[in-house]
């Protein structure tokens, strides 16, 4: 991607056929994330949603999202700015001001 694009990745629990995640923190964070992204994202920002699997898959200590060096997730939801140290985890994503800080340009 060009240097003018920032990439944000949101890792959340798998959604069922009705669009509901098994992860209650993901469910609580989603409206906050959506509101802040719609209000503060730059036109060149890219957002990627990643499904970490169902509850049993996520809870497995060998889950690839937990073990890969470029992810090393400790909880969901997690939102990161790719190739940046910026990262919010779990309840932090329910706080509008923290999500705004994540999206703020340096």
């Amino acid at each position: 991607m060009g240097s003018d694009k920032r990439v944000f990745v949101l890792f959340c629990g798998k959604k069922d056929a009705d669009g509901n995640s098994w992860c209650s923190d993901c469910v609580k964070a989603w409206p906050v994330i959506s509101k802040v992204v719609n209000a503060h994202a730059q036109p060149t920002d890219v957002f990627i949603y990643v499904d970490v699997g169902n509850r049993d898959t996520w809870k497995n200590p060998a889950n690839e999202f937990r073990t890969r060096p470029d992810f090393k997730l400790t909880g969901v939801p997690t939102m990161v700015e790719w190739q940046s140290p910026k990262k919010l985890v779990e309840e932090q994503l329910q706080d509008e001001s923290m999500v705004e800080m994540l999206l703020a340009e340096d």
Side-chain angles (χ1 to χ4, degrees):
M1 299 215 171
S3 61
D4 61 331
K5 294 186 186 281
R6 297 181 309 155
V7 177
F8 295 91
V9 184
L10 174 63
F11 299 89
C12 280
K14 184 177 181 79
K15 294 181 179 181
D16 63 20
D18 295 323
N20 301 310
S21 174
W22 58 263
C23 172
S24 61
D25 285 336
C26 294
V27 172
K28 292 174 190 170
W30 182 249
V32 175
I33 295 166
S34 295
K35 178 181 176 182
V36 174
V37 166
N38 286 328
H40 298 283
Q42 300 301 310
T44 55
D45 290 344
V46 175
F47 291 88
I48 300 170
Y49 182 95
V50 177
D51 172 341
V52 299
N54 63 31
R55 189 176 198 288
D56 290 339
T57 300
W58 167 248
K59 293 293 184 180
N60 182 340
N63 181 298
E64 185 173 17
F65 294 108
R66 292 179 178 275
T67 60
R68 279 185 54 146
D70 49 347
F71 298 137
K72 286 284 196 185
L73 299 185
T74 58
V76 287
T78 294
M79 188 169 178
V80 300
E81 181 178 349
W82 195 248
Q83 297 183 331
S84 159
K86 291 182 173 182
K87 174 177 169 177
L88 296 176
V89 180
E90 297 174 333
E91 295 87 8
Q92 294 174 326
L93 285 159
Q94 296 172 36
D95 182 332
E96 281 187 39
S97 63
M98 295 203 60
V99 179
E100 287 171 4
M101 283 192 302
L102 179 72
L103 296 183
E105 295 190 63
D106 294 331

